[in-house]
Amino acid sequence: MDMGMKNIGHSMIFLFFVILFFSCKNDQKNMTDQTMNNKAPILSKKGLIFNWKDSFSESEKEKLETWIKTVYSATENTLGRYPFEVHVNFLRSDQGSTPVSFGLASRKNKKSSIKLYVNPNATLEELKQDWTAPHEFSHLAMPFIGKQDKWFTEGFATYLSRKILMNMGYITEKSFDSLYRAKIKETQPYYESTTKTFIEVSDSLMTHHKYSSFYWGGTSFFLTLDNRLKKQNKPEFIDILKTYQKCCRFKDRNLNQVVHSFDHIIQKPIVQQLLEEYQTKTSRSVMLEYFSF
Ligand SMILES: [Zn+2]
């Protein structure tokens, strides 16, 4: 009985070492797989992951990677370091005259990614001057807050895209202001309503596919906001965003929460007040300062 127990004991110890041996092998295999997987797609220390959705030559890949690393570095300098990795998906778009024919940003399942349809024949310089990648990266500075406030999110990304281009040296501070004033002025025929609110007009522009006026119209919110911050000796909006990345980027779920976080950083309800004006005042009165010159 004792001997039997001892044999069982020895067998158990033997079995234990066999299991230990194989589990170590498996761990080692997993580690190797993981290391190999990590090695394959991650090409930047900056948290960028490049995915080639179409076929690109090695020299095209090198050019596109250089371009995106430059834009992303300017994005982080301008809007703050993003507390997550960004997947960059490249698709070919050989036809067309623009370097980037289409872009898209996504924050599905907590995975931040952008999709770019690029013309690989464009030069590095042409790619760098294009606003699409800065626009899509800008979207990621805010969480996804639903599709109902597109006037805000598109105005946000359109406004910040040129701030990033400014950081890259393609736009001066003076030309930034005149560019936005001129572009907002062009939307005047649509935003002259004395009965509808700014948001009602914007929603209608989007429904009727008047995207350019819709995008530039939305930037007025951020240009006005920056002017008000300046008048009250507060940091400019991009500096508010730098703090936002650290404190609040993962916690907000809707526009009110985002606005509340911005005001918390500013320590004054400046963004909330402006939002209320955009929600309640007519589009003409909200846009008046941009139309009366
Ligand atoms: Zn957009």
Side-chain angles (χ1 to χ4, degrees):
M1 185 84 171
D2 280 346
M3 275 303 283
M5 282 297 282
K6 207 175 174 184
N7 280 340
I8 290 169
H10 282 151
S11 304
M12 292 286 280
I13 290 164
F14 177 72
L15 198 65
F16 171 76
F17 279 108
V18 169
I19 290 167
L20 190 69
F21 174 76
F22 279 108
S23 74
C24 284
K25 286 286 277 187
N26 273 337
D27 276 354
Q28 217 171 37
K29 187 181 175 297
N30 287 342
M31 262 180 70
T32 314
D33 286 350
Q34 222 170 36
T35 314
M36 282 174 70
N37 284 340
N38 282 346
K39 252 188 187 170
I42 296 175
L43 296 170
S44 165
K45 287 176 190 168
K46 285 245 167 201
L48 288 175
I49 299 167
F50 297 113
N51 302 311
W52 308 99
K53 298 292 183 187
D54 284 327
S55 151
F56 290 90
S57 72
E58 284 310 308
S59 65
E60 287 169 348
K61 283 183 183 178
E62 201 183 316
K63 178 171 63 183
L64 295 174
E65 279 176 23
T66 307
W67 160 51
I68 287 301
K69 282 177 186 172
T70 308
V71 175
Y72 193 60
S73 172
T75 303
E76 291 202 316
N77 285 339
T78 312
L79 310 179
R81 181 158 279 241
Y82 286 169
F84 45 79
E85 289 173 335
V86 179
H87 292 252
V88 183
N89 300 305
F90 292 101
L91 295 100
R92 282 189 90 93
S93 175
D94 293 280
Q95 277 99 40
S97 53
T98 52
V100 189
S101 58
F102 188 66
L104 213 67
S106 163
R107 281 141 294 180
K108 272 181 198 153
N109 306 322
K110 294 184 179 174
K111 183 176 160 184
S112 295
S113 65
I114 66 166
K115 197 184 257 187
L116 298 167
Y117 290 78
V118 296
N119 185 343
N121 299 317
T123 64
L124 179 60
E125 201 49 36
E126 286 168 337
L127 288 162
K128 280 186 188 173
Q129 290 183 35
D130 188 276
W131 56 265
T132 319
H135 178 103
E136 303 311 334
F137 277 137
S138 296
H139 272 304
L140 304 179
M142 243 176 71
F144 180 66
I145 55 165
K147 290 182 177 170
Q148 68 284 358
D149 298 304
K150 268 199 151 194
W151 70 271
F152 187 94
T153 53
E154 290 305 338
F156 175 89
T158 306
Y159 185 71
L160 297 172
S161 62
R162 271 70 175 186
K163 287 274 180 190
I164 293 166
L165 287 176
M166 201 197 306
N167 186 275
M168 291 168 74
Y170 291 117
I171 295 179
T172 63
E173 206 163 338
K174 207 173 167 190
S175 62
F176 178 91
D177 202 65
S178 54
L179 167 78
Y180 278 84
R181 285 183 181 277
K183 286 290 187 184
I184 294 168
K185 173 88 173 161
E186 282 175 22
T187 70
Q188 186 166 358
Y190 299 105
Y191 284 99
E192 286 230 281
S193 175
T194 51
T195 52
K196 288 180 182 169
T197 65
F198 176 92
I199 295 174
E200 284 168 345
V201 174
S202 285
D203 288 348
S204 153
L205 284 174
M206 195 177 70
T207 310
H208 293 95
H209 311 293
K210 303 275 185 199
Y211 296 116
S212 179
S213 299
F214 168 72
Y215 278 46
W216 288 107
T219 65
S220 67
F221 184 91
F222 300 92
L223 193 57
T224 305
L225 175 61
D226 254 337
N227 288 335
R228 290 189 184 181
L229 289 169
K230 201 174 182 178
K231 272 183 197 153
Q232 302 200 38
N233 294 320
K234 295 287 183 186
E236 63 175 313
F237 185 55
I238 53 171
D239 292 327
I240 309 293
L241 279 173
K242 285 184 185 108
T243 307
Y244 184 80
Q245 300 311 311
K246 292 180 199 156
C247 70
C248 318
R249 172 59 180 80
F250 291 122
K251 76 178 179 67
D252 296 331
R253 293 284 172 272
N254 56 49
L255 182 57
N256 282 336
Q257 289 173 353
V258 169
V259 166
H260 184 266
S261 293
F262 289 159
D263 281 341
H264 184 73
I265 297 164
I266 299 164
Q267 295 180 323
K268 220 173 177 187
I270 296 177
V271 192
Q272 181 61 39
Q273 270 170 18
L274 188 59
L275 179 62
E276 279 169 21
E277 288 171 33
Y278 271 62
Q279 285 167 335
T280 57
K281 287 187 172 181
T282 66
S283 64
R284 183 173 164 72
S285 67
V286 160
M287 298 288 257
L288 201 59
E289 70 164 292
Y290 300 107
F291 294 165
S292 57
F293 68 93

